Amino acid sequence: MPRILAIDYGKKRTGIAVTDELQIIASGHSTVASEQIFDFLKDYFQKENVVKVLIGEPKKMNGEPSESFEIIEKFVADFKIKFPTMPVIRVDERFTSKMAFQTMIDSGLNKKQRQNKALIDEIAATIMLQDYLTRKMI
């Protein structure tokens, strides 16, 4: 069965999460420098069967687009040009970074480990993907 991949795109770093082949469990995969994301994705899509990609949609508390909206919209437009047959699903990414940080605390990571922004991005992508899987099953 194909996988679902989630992307938490940022100006500097992009967190990546993927499902297992049964699309039940979301796992953090990696964090990639944003300028290398398309090379990473091309390679990953050649190696793995991916059926769809989730991309975070940044919003403010009131539902309006956040400051990073334009950067992510450009990424989505470029993604659709480079991978025109890959379905893209936009998902609300509000609170995922805060939830990722709290997950690090709850996991017992020390202060230095919690300062790893790359890990926060990867966990945020995992949270987006697991939330999507949970809602899909309901």
Side-chain angles (χ1 to χ4, degrees):
M1 212 171 159
R3 299 177 188 273
I4 301 171
L5 184 134
I7 298 174
D8 181 31
Y9 185 81
K11 193 174 185 177
K12 295 180 183 178
R13 292 171 311 279
T14 299
I16 306 291
V18 296
T19 63
D20 60 322
E21 291 179 343
L22 298 176
Q23 298 179 8
I24 297 171
I25 299 169
S27 300
H29 182 279
S30 59
T31 303
V32 178
S34 292
E35 67 267 6
Q36 299 172 345
I37 188 62
F38 289 116
D39 292 334
F40 169 85
L41 291 171
K42 181 181 176 188
D43 183 57
Y44 191 83
F45 293 159
Q46 288 175 348
K47 293 177 183 175
E48 296 289 341
N49 184 9
V50 177
V51 68
K52 65 180 96 169
V53 173
L54 307 181
I55 301 176
E57 189 169 41
K59 296 180 182 180
K60 295 179 183 178
M61 289 292 293
N62 64 3
E64 292 180 14
S66 74
E67 308 79 41
S68 58
F69 180 80
E70 289 182 26
I71 294 167
I72 295 174
E73 288 303 301
K74 181 180 180 338
F75 166 73
V76 172
D78 292 345
F79 181 94
K80 289 179 178 181
I81 290 168
K82 292 184 187 304
F83 307 105
T85 61
M86 181 64 67
V88 172
I89 298 174
R90 302 301 302 275
V91 294
D92 189 347
E93 67 173 35
R94 282 181 285 190
F95 306 115
T96 55
S97 293
K98 290 182 183 184
M99 291 168 63
F101 188 75
Q102 186 61 49
T103 299
M104 294 170 79
I105 291 170
D106 295 345
S107 298
L109 297 180
N110 65 38
K111 186 176 182 178
K112 184 171 181 159
Q113 292 169 315
R114 293 191 308 259
Q115 292 172 342
N116 181 350
K117 294 185 186 295
L119 183 57
I120 292 172
D121 295 336
E122 182 180 329
I123 294 171
T126 306
I127 290 169
M128 282 191 315
L129 183 52
Q130 190 61 55
D131 183 57
Y132 172 81
L133 293 173
T134 301
R135 283 188 278 123
K136 187 176 108 173
M137 291 181 180
I138 295 176

